[in-house]
Amino acid sequence: MAARRKLIAGNWKMNGLKAEGLQLASDLAGRLQGAGAVPFDMLVCPPFPLLFPVGEAIKGSPLALGGQDCAPKQKGAHTGDTSPAMLKDAGCAYAIVGHSERRQDHAETDAAVAAKAAAAHEEGLVAIVCVGETWAEREAGKAQEVVGRQIAGSLPAGATAANTVVAYEPVWAIGTGKVATPQDVKDMHAFIRKELQARLPDADSVRILYGGSVKPDNAAELLATDNVDGALVGGASLKADDFWAIGTSCR
Ligand code: PEP
């Protein structure tokens, strides 16, 4: 199996004002710098207004910056949107696309997610493409069917291991404290790997993250699961101690 370096990504969602965001990011950047060689990449995705100040504060450190979403275009008459070019200008290397909260709250379709990922790629950003089933879909035995459809529809042409990360986030596990069992995670990540192998030339090198109530006390087991190449973390990414503890659970 290809060696895949773990990615620990923090999605701050709509949390944090400037002072808190700067403190959190600077704290993490300092810990990363002080730790030297670690077996993971660490990424923070603050709300858009914090990208520039946080980007300035962590410049030159190993802590990476990402947007929580991006527009499918680089500029123009799109009120309220933020383009991949703007993310790059702020120092971002990543953009999350297709988070279930975007799919649900903003009716984003797989095609819209693929267009955003393609625009992110155009600017040299890594797109973190999120997929995941609802509880009703899992109960109906349709989890793999749903995730398979999302993968097929949300990955743009030209997706490779260098420009794309897939995040499996069961919707029912996000922000709920419910976590998928390691066996369910293992099965779904193996399924996603197979779906990627059918589509991408370097599928074995694509990082597949798990997201959904990852905390310091469950991170080690999840991160040691086959085909789990990191975590997309919401709530626990807002506390430096917790987020750092998740990172250092990587072996
Ligand atoms: C997320 O925001 O993608 C997420 C997984 O949130 P939480 O870790 O809080 O469940």
Side-chain angles (χ1 to χ4, degrees), residues 11 13 99 101 130 169 173-178 210-215 232-237:
N11 173 13
K13 309 195 187 190
H99 191 281
E101 288 154 16
C130 302
E169 298 205 302
I174 297 178
T176 59
K178 289 185 197 155
Y210 169 76
S213 298
V214 177
K215 309 281 179 215
L232 181 52
V233 185
S237 73

Side-chain angles (χ1 to χ4, degrees), residues 5 10 67 74 101 176 191 198 221 234 237:
R5 188 171 159 82
Q74 304 305 346
E101 288 154 16
T176 59
F191 170 75
E221 188 176 17
S237 73

Side-chain angles (χ1 to χ4, degrees), residues 88-224:
K88 192 172 163 194
D89 198 32
C92 290
Y94 293 81
I96 298 172
V97 293
H99 191 281
S100 63
E101 288 154 16
R102 301 289 316 175
R103 290 179 185 265
Q104 283 180 342
D105 299 352
H106 300 272
E108 288 188 4
T109 61
D110 290 332
V113 175
K116 289 176 174 206
H121 291 167
E122 239 175 65
E123 281 300 318
L125 300 178
V126 176
I128 301 179
V129 179
C130 302
V131 295
E133 81 287 355
T134 63
W135 182 249
E137 289 162 343
R138 175 158 285 269
E139 286 267 90
K142 294 192 166 157
Q144 289 195 352
E145 181 187 322
V146 168
V147 168
R149 195 168 58 233
Q150 289 172 334
I151 298 251
S154 306
L155 290 181
T160 66
N163 65 20
T164 303
V165 170
V166 174
Y168 168 57
E169 298 205 302
V171 177
W172 48 271
I174 297 178
T176 59
K178 289 185 197 155
V179 192
T181 65
Q183 188 61 48
D184 286 343
V185 173
K186 185 176 171 187
D187 291 348
M188 185 59 88
H189 280 230
F191 170 75
I192 292 171
R193 180 76 59 204
K194 210 153 51 68
E195 292 295 300
L196 294 175
Q197 282 162 348
R199 288 175 176 81
L200 272 58
D202 54 357
D204 286 349
S205 300
V206 175
R207 295 193 279 191
I208 307 174
L209 314 185
Y210 169 76
S213 298
V214 177
K215 309 281 179 215
D217 63 359
N218 61 24
E221 188 176 17
L222 288 163
L223 289 165

Side-chain angles (χ1 to χ4, degrees), residues 12 14-28 44 46-47 50 53-54 57 237-240:
W12 294 2
M14 198 170 71
N15 293 296
L17 301 179
K18 189 170 156 190
E20 299 159 73
L22 282 175
Q23 191 177 358
L24 177 54
S26 304
D27 184 332
L28 292 168
V44 291
L50 300 190
V54 168
S237 73
L238 296 172
K239 289 193 186 131

